[in-house]
Amino acid sequence: EIEPDWGRIAPFLERAMARVPSSLEAGAKKLFCGPESFTPDLGPVVGEAPELRNYYVAAGMNSIGILTGGGVGRVLAHNIVHGHADVDMTAMLPARFQPHQATPAYRGARVVESLGKVYKCHYPHRPTATARRIRRSPLHAQLAARGAYFRDVSGWEGADWFAGAGRTPDLGELRWGRHPEWFGLWAAEHTACREGVALFDMSFMSKFHVQGRAAGP
């Protein structure tokens, strides 16, 4: 626990009490100030640890643990009792993080951005700006020359869409809705895939090395 700064919190506390006048009668009994946990993708870390069988994790609540605690507890309890979850936990599993995302350098760079995004609009195409360009595929330079817009895919620089050779990709205004400003470029790529031939850089996908006498069909 960190020594609380009453002077800093006082204006916010006064506004809160003015909104709920009955809280003035109770007063403030304790101001807790302590460290908080934030994950690289602002998702919680819930599920069985990949390194240790039957060791379950419920952490990284990104400052909304009280709000999500009930649901996280129910899902984790079902997982422990039945051996599997009854909802899709892909975006919450601890195994989604790569080793380099656990380094102090990576976490130190990304946590500042993660904290700032908690209460911002979570637009579907909002990019991450920190701790980038860590993993690049052998085709990165060629994709960049074609005007690739890269996004963070498990630590890799993955080409999401292309502005065209020699052009700088512009994400445009972040907004809600079905079609972002660059949808036309994306649609042209899909058409080219269906009517012609396409080459996909899948470097960001997981690779499994399976060996042994029973490994084959």
Side-chain angles (χ1 to χ4, degrees):
E1 185 174 351
I2 304 172
E3 184 68 26
D5 187 346
W6 283 95
R8 183 179 181 182
I9 197 66
F12 304 99
L13 194 61
E14 290 172 358
R15 290 182 183 180
M17 288 182 167
R19 184 175 292 272
V20 186
S22 60
S23 63
L24 291 169
E25 301 175 5
K29 306 299 182 183
K30 179 179 178 61
L31 172 59
F32 177 82
C33 184
E36 182 59 279
S37 58
F38 292 89
T39 59
D41 58 3
L42 277 182
V45 183
V46 182
E48 188 174 16
E51 304 89 351
L52 187 60
R53 180 72 175 166
N54 290 327
Y55 183 86
Y56 292 87
V57 179
M61 300 302 168
N62 301 286
S63 195
I64 54 172
I66 296 176
L67 177 66
T68 59
V72 168
R74 193 203 67 79
V75 169
L76 196 60
H78 191 284
N79 202 348
I80 294 173
V81 173
H82 299 283
H84 61 85
D86 59 342
V87 297
D88 183 6
M89 294 182 62
T90 304
M92 298 185 283
L93 293 175
R96 75 183 186 274
F97 293 119
Q98 304 298 314
H100 74 271
Q101 292 177 301
T103 62
Y106 181 96
R107 288 181 294 154
R110 180 58 65 84
V111 70
V112 177
E113 182 179 9
S114 297
L115 175 59
K117 283 183 174 180
V118 171
Y119 297 109
K120 287 184 177 180
C121 286
H122 290 206
Y123 292 107
H125 302 290
R126 181 185 288 277
T128 53
T130 57
R132 294 290 302 271
R133 292 170 288 280
I134 297 176
R135 287 181 169 181
R136 303 184 188 186
S137 80
L139 299 176
H140 183 86
Q142 290 92 325
L143 297 175
R146 292 287 181 176
Y149 175 79
F150 295 99
R151 66 185 180 94
D152 186 356
V153 186
S154 297
W156 289 85
E157 293 297 314
D160 201 16
W161 50 272
F162 294 84
R167 298 181 179 179
T168 301
D170 183 10
L171 188 62
E173 180 186 4
L174 292 174
R175 62 189 184 189
W176 301 104
R178 182 178 179 184
H179 294 163
E181 293 184 16
W182 40 268
F183 184 83
L185 298 171
W186 211 10
E189 295 171 20
H190 281 254
T191 301
C193 293
R194 287 194 289 265
E195 300 178 356
V197 178
L199 176 65
F200 291 87
D201 180 10
M202 306 296 284
S203 299
F204 58 86
M205 298 291 285
S206 297
K207 287 83 175 173
F208 297 92
H209 182 198
V210 181
Q211 62 183 9
R213 295 182 60 183

